Amino acid sequence: MPTTVDRIIRTDYSEIMQKNYIDYAMSVIVSRALPDVRDGLKPVQRRVLYDMWELGTKSDRPYRKCARIVGDTMGKYHPHGDSSIYDALVVMSQDFKKGRVLVDGHGNFGSIEGDGAAAMRYTEARLEKFTEDVFLSDLDQNIIDFLPNFDETEKEPSVLPARLPNILINGSEGIAVGMATSIPPHNIGEVIDAVIAMIQDSEIDDDGLLQYIKGPDFPVGGIVVNKDDIPAIYKKGSGKLRIRGKAEIEKGKGGRSSIVITEIPYTMIGAGIGKFMSDVAALAESRQAPEISDISNQSSKEGVRIVIDLKKGADAEQILQLLYKKTRLEDTFGVNMLVVSNGRPETMSLRQIVEAGVDFQFEIADRKYENLLASEMERKEVQEGLIKATDVIDLIIEILRGSKNRKMATECLVYGKTEGINFKTAKSRKQASALMFTERQANAILDMRLVKLIGLEIEALMKDHDETLKKIAFYQDLLENHDSMAKQLIKELRKMKTDYAVPRRTSIENAEEIVLEEKKIEEEEVVFCLDRFGYAKVLDLSVYEKNKETVETENRTVIRIMNTDKICLFTNKGKMHAVKVLDIPQKRLRDKGVPIDNLSNYSSGEEDILYIGALAEISAAELLFVTKKGMVKRTPGSEFVSSVRTIQSTKLQEDDELLLIGRSDVNEFAVLNSTDGYFLRFALTEVPELKKTAVGVRGMLLGEEDSIQAAYLLESSRELTIDYRGGKLSLNRLKLAKRGTKGTKSRR
């Protein structure tokens, strides 16, 4: 019997991974995340629009439930989940995101402030007239290729026959594998002018096109303030645009004024508005902009209106400059014109995108007029057959009456076969044998109604024939002469500009970069408070002095400090977190503070604060560090002066942590207490002074399972007594020993 031999194919695992990953990446790039340069749509957007066209949800028809559209799209063309389909449908209907919306939404489709759309079962949609005219008008003219869908049960368009470079009009954003696209929207009228200019002059360069397309035109308006950078960005296909919101200063009563923001940067759409308002409030709380008294969002359907009220006598211009510098009222929009061209991702310049759009227009126009010409040629053939038939109508009637079936009559009309047909005279038979109609003409004659023999009908037929001949000549001229086709496209483009162009919304300017002159802060002494729940605040010194006992009772840490100083938090993990006093909100006595976690890199869930002090005081002092494994060291406070928010205050051994941090320059002795009950008191002069990067030296000799459970700092002039195992223990009376020894075991 033959034996089966297993074939083992040996290959490098990395090669398989590389190939599979590249296949996956290209699938995401081409089939999911990046738009096609020809119609400017991602596959999911294209499929939604085509499905809506198939469902008949036209602009002059009733709205249809979005759930129906989403379900139909998912079932036929896009099997990737309903959320991605509905998200695409929603975005195509949001006029604050798109230069020109493609879907007419009915219901809650979200807001500029980041509110999400209602569930798809509640919303309805239909196509915009613009979408029908620009994307779908010639879809039935066989001018684009159709491909099988995912299960090969339907056909879907490989691209929509877009008449305009939608990639520029509506822009696009998408993240693929290892690459991303970010194309801003542009003004539709300017884009049409640029397309016409390229049709008229195929050699026009980027600078020439920028005479028509001034720059991005965001639907929310705003200002692009780096006009001089635009040519380089569009030539390269990537770069950064600086965009600002538009603000006005309104004078109020009593010398007060308000900053009113009427247009926002495109990047602020959504949650960015709430973030902007919280940032402005933070500027006021941190006293960087104490002149701000209130901020309110008064936006409505009529447009954006964010009002920032200022205190009496405030310099509104200076505050506005501060907002541009410190908030997202001025932001950066990263341009990366990455698109799918000929099935491959490519970063294109402005000229390349417009050129690709023009080439696509000529391609679909050629296919359209070739099909129309073929249709008119067929009509011409039929019309000529009917005209010829009217001249011999009596003979044709005789043929029909003498034929036994349609086939016999057809063969007589086409080939002149008279066998089997009864004619009245031999002359009629001879005339019939000379007939030479085409099959299409013969079928038209046989299908012709007798009413067509009326004189007026014959005149109409002749008139239609003349019109057909004109159309044929027109289509042939378009297909044979490039200039004629160009004129026809320009005529159609100008019609679209008349119908759909809108005024520019975004201003393009050159503005100097904001150079903010920081106000010199008036130095004053304040009081830092941290309560037992970890909430921090700053009190006015006069408030503290009037309520000193209350403040010190209700807070675990109270430090008098200059407002220009920093608070330093030393933790058991060997870190020091610095917080500017100016960043800590100044509150009234009964006001709740802000979690110290929110003001610094400190995390209360991961580390414990062992020591808090003012940087100015610490920098002139000396700190003692004691760890659970008994390591000790003294470190000059100057080691902790840094502009960084978090630094390592000491180096720790593995599985070790700090137990005590304190001032060694104002104390004389240290006492270490181990878990086995040993106490060691030694002079701080025995502890070497080391840098913050050092681990330290042995402070107490510990047993194998022993560790330090408590550490104390002592002054000889002050007695320190602790509760220990049910009794009182005076640490000052412990025997003075050498550092690094075992110490004395307590008898308790």
Side-chain angles (χ1 to χ4, degrees):
M1 292 180 62
T3 58
T4 302
V5 179
D6 292 334
R7 295 181 61 201
I8 300 175
I9 301 173
R10 296 184 178 275
T11 185
D12 192 338
Y13 185 70
S14 65
E15 290 181 7
I16 295 176
M17 290 296 292
Q18 184 179 26
K19 180 181 181 302
N20 290 347
Y21 186 76
I22 290 173
D23 291 344
Y24 156 73
M26 286 305 296
S27 174
V28 172
I29 290 167
V30 176
S31 303
R32 298 289 293 276
L34 300 186
D36 192 298
V37 69
R38 294 171 294 177
D39 62 5
L41 299 172
K42 299 178 187 178
V44 63
Q45 296 171 322
R46 186 179 304 118
R47 288 163 177 166
V48 168
L49 295 179
Y50 178 64
D51 187 76
M52 293 178 73
W53 183 77
E54 269 198 323
L55 288 173
T57 56
K58 308 291 179 63
S59 58
D60 56 352
R61 305 279 182 83
Y63 293 94
R64 186 164 289 196
K65 283 286 186 184
C66 290
R68 169 65 194 279
I69 298 169
V70 171
D72 204 60
T73 304
M74 182 167 59
K76 287 183 177 179
Y77 310 116
H78 197 76
H80 300 294
D82 57 358
S83 61
S84 63
I85 300 172
Y86 187 50
D87 288 346
L89 176 64
V90 167
V91 170
M92 287 192 290
S93 72
Q94 293 178 327
D95 58 4
F96 50 86
K97 284 188 179 178
K98 293 295 180 183
R100 183 80 203 195
V101 294
L102 306 181
V103 172
D104 179 8
H106 184 244
N108 176 13
F109 277 80
S111 73
I112 194 173
E113 297 173 21
D115 301 316
M120 68 180 83
R121 62 183 178 273
Y122 300 122
T123 56
E124 299 174 324
R126 64 184 178 188
L127 290 169
E128 281 277 353
K129 182 70 165 57
F130 172 80
T131 312
E132 295 173 14
D133 291 347
V134 175
F135 289 86
L136 304 166
S137 61
D138 295 322
L139 198 58
D140 55 354
Q141 295 285 346
N142 191 28
I143 59 175
I144 47 98
D145 296 326
F146 280 76
L147 304 172
N149 68 338
F150 63 92
D151 61 359
E152 299 188 354
T153 59
E154 301 278 348
K155 293 282 188 179
E156 63 174 305
S158 59
V159 64
L160 292 184
R163 306 301 310 279
L164 297 172
N166 178 59
I167 194 70
L168 292 175
I169 294 168
N170 276 323
S172 184
E173 290 185 4
I175 299 174
V177 180
M179 57 184 67
T181 185
S182 179
I183 304 172
H186 297 78
N187 183 269
I188 185 171
E190 294 179 4
V191 171
I192 291 174
D193 288 340
V195 173
I196 292 173
M198 173 154 280
I199 292 174
Q200 292 173 333
D201 178 11
S202 60
E203 300 299 319
I204 191 171
D205 58 10
D206 289 285
D207 290 328
L209 291 173
L210 287 171
Q211 298 299 313
Y212 303 96
I213 299 177
K214 307 300 182 184
D217 187 25
F218 298 108
V220 290
I223 309 169
V224 174
V225 295
N226 57 334
K227 180 179 179 180
D228 288 345
D229 296 336
I230 287 178
I233 293 171
Y234 281 98
K235 287 177 184 177
K236 187 180 177 184
S238 62
K240 292 183 178 180
L241 294 166
R242 280 173 43 223
I243 51 179
R244 285 182 189 171
K246 193 171 286 186
E248 302 169 354
I249 296 172
E250 294 184 357
K251 299 294 183 181
K253 297 178 181 179
R256 299 178 185 273
S257 58
S258 299
I259 297 173
V260 180
I261 298 163
T262 55
E263 295 177 12
I264 60 173
Y266 189 64
T267 52
M268 199 193 285
I269 292 172
I273 293 179
K275 177 69 166 56
F276 168 73
M277 295 184 67
S278 63
D279 288 345
V280 173
L283 288 175
E285 285 188 356
S286 64
R287 299 185 302 285
Q288 293 184 63
E291 300 91 344
I292 296 175
S293 61
D294 190 26
I295 179 171
S296 59
N297 187 357
Q298 301 175 12
S299 303
S300 63
K301 291 181 179 179
E302 281 68 42
V304 172
R305 182 177 170 84
I306 300 172
V307 181
I308 301 169
D309 294 323
L310 306 179
K311 295 178 181 177
K312 185 177 181 179
D315 186 344
E317 285 290 347
Q318 181 69 15
I319 300 298
L320 182 57
Q321 297 298 308
L322 179 70
L323 296 179
Y324 284 139
K325 189 72 174 177
K326 298 286 187 179
T327 72
R328 292 184 68 181
L329 192 58
E330 179 176 318
D331 205 358
T332 299
F333 183 94
V335 176
N336 187 27
M337 297 199 290
L338 180 69
V339 296
V340 174
S341 177
N342 297 319
R344 297 173 60 86
E346 183 180 350
T347 299
M348 289 185 150
S349 67
L350 175 64
R351 186 189 185 284
Q352 288 174 314
I353 289 177
V354 176
E355 184 178 31
V358 170
D359 290 344
F360 185 55
Q361 290 311 303
F362 276 100
E363 178 187 333
I364 62 176
D366 283 342
R367 290 182 62 169
K368 172 184 175 181
Y369 290 114
E370 282 172 0
N371 294 333
L372 289 174
L373 176 61
S375 177
E376 291 300 324
M377 291 298 287
E378 291 178 6
R379 186 177 287 107
K380 171 179 174 285
E381 180 183 346
V382 170
Q383 289 170 344
E384 288 177 345
L386 294 175
I387 292 169
K388 182 180 176 182
T390 58
D391 293 335
V392 290
I393 193 63
D394 293 333
L395 176 60
I396 291 173
I397 292 172
E398 191 172 342
I399 293 170
L400 295 177
R401 294 184 67 180
S403 298
K404 295 178 181 178
N405 51 49
R406 183 182 178 111
K407 181 180 178 184
M408 186 179 290
T410 302
E411 288 181 346
C412 180
L413 292 173
V414 176
Y415 305 110
K417 291 183 179 181
T418 59
E419 293 82 359
I421 301 175
N422 294 322
F423 289 94
K424 293 179 180 180
T425 64
K427 182 180 179 182
S428 296
R429 182 180 295 275
K430 184 179 180 180
Q431 289 176 336
S433 64
L435 294 176
M436 294 181 63
F437 290 98
T438 66
E439 286 192 21
R440 184 176 287 111
Q441 289 173 337
N443 287 323
I445 291 168
L446 294 175
D447 293 335
M448 181 177 63
R449 298 166 61 193
L450 290 176
V451 72
K452 293 292 183 181
L453 300 176
I454 297 173
L456 291 176
E457 289 291 334
I458 295 173
E459 287 182 16
L461 177 61
M462 299 294 291
K463 187 175 181 181
D464 288 344
H465 182 56
D466 291 339
E467 287 296 322
T468 299
L469 292 176
K470 289 179 182 178
K471 288 181 180 179
I472 289 172
F474 175 64
Y475 296 152
Q476 287 176 334
D477 180 52
L478 293 180
L479 292 168
E480 293 170 4
N481 298 302
H482 181 273
D483 290 344
S484 298
M485 182 68 83
K487 288 178 181 178
Q488 178 64 18
L489 291 178
I490 290 172
K491 179 182 177 183
E492 294 172 0
L493 287 167
R494 285 175 174 157
K495 170 84 167 51
M496 282 186 275
K497 181 179 179 182
T498 302
D499 292 341
Y500 299 113
V502 293
R504 165 171 277 279
R505 289 160 289 199
T506 300
S507 303
I508 309 292
E509 302 175 2
N510 269 324
E512 295 182 5
E513 193 164 348
I514 300 296
V515 178
L516 194 64
E517 293 184 10
E518 297 283 352
K519 284 187 178 180
K520 189 173 181 181
I521 299 168
E522 189 175 337
E523 194 173 19
E524 61 177 345
E525 189 175 12
V526 293
V527 179
F528 167 78
C529 302
L530 183 69
D531 66 19
R532 63 183 182 277
F533 300 109
Y535 285 80
K537 64 182 177 182
V538 167
L539 292 177
D540 188 84
L541 182 61
S542 60
V543 174
Y544 165 72
E545 289 178 341
K546 291 177 183 177
N547 305 275
K548 188 174 182 179
E549 185 177 345
T550 301
V551 173
E552 294 183 350
T553 302
E554 294 179 351
N555 294 279
R556 67 173 181 175
T557 304
V558 178
I559 300 174
R560 292 176 63 152
I561 187 171
M562 301 306 294
N563 63 341
T564 53
D565 203 354
K566 293 181 181 179
I567 287 289
C568 299
L569 314 174
F570 291 83
T571 73
N572 63 326
K573 299 298 182 181
K575 294 180 180 179
M576 186 202 83
H577 304 289
V579 185
K580 290 181 180 180
V581 177
L582 287 172
D583 291 340
I584 304 170
Q586 186 164 349
K587 302 282 188 177
R588 292 173 294 187
L589 179 65
R590 294 299 175 189
D591 286 348
K592 191 175 184 179
V594 176
I596 195 70
D597 302 49
N598 297 353
L599 301 171
S600 66
N601 292 333
Y602 164 72
S603 175
S604 57
E606 299 176 2
E607 49 191 339
D608 299 322
I609 298 174
L610 298 181
Y611 182 77
I612 302 178
L615 180 61
E617 181 185 340
I618 291 171
S619 62
E622 183 183 75
L623 298 182
L624 175 73
F625 291 80
V626 180
T627 76
K628 282 191 175 182
K629 289 188 175 182
M631 305 303 291
V632 297
K633 70 172 182 180
R634 289 183 296 133
T635 301
S638 57
E639 286 276 300
F640 308 111
V641 177
S642 172
S643 59
V644 182
R645 294 185 71 187
T646 299
I647 61 171
Q648 284 293 132
S649 63
T650 187
K651 186 177 180 181
L652 292 171
Q653 294 176 322
E654 190 176 353
D655 298 328
D656 199 7
E657 64 178 277
L658 288 168
L659 191 69
L660 172 74
I661 303 173
R663 292 277 299 273
S664 55
D665 57 323
V666 294
N667 292 284
E668 299 171 65
F669 304 100
V671 176
L672 305 184
N673 171 214
S674 76
T675 54
D676 286 347
Y678 286 90
F679 283 86
L680 175 64
R681 183 167 75 97
F682 57 88
L684 291 176
T685 53
E686 294 192 32
V687 180
E689 187 178 280
L690 301 171
K691 291 187 175 294
K692 65 184 178 188
T693 53
V695 174
V697 297
R698 179 184 295 165
M700 185 178 188
L701 185 63
L702 298 171
E704 189 172 335
E705 300 296 328
D706 201 6
S707 64
I708 305 297
Q709 70 174 2
Y712 308 92
L713 286 170
L714 304 177
E715 296 179 49
S716 58
S717 59
R718 293 179 61 187
E719 185 171 350
L720 180 60
T721 302
I722 63 170
D723 294 323
Y724 187 72
R725 294 183 179 179
K728 297 290 185 181
L729 178 64
S730 175
L731 300 181
N732 299 69
R733 296 183 183 181
L734 292 172
K735 180 182 176 182
L736 189 64
K738 293 288 186 181
R739 175 191 61 79
T741 59
K742 195 169 186 178
T744 306
K745 190 164 187 176
S746 172
R747 295 179 181 178
R748 295 184 183 278

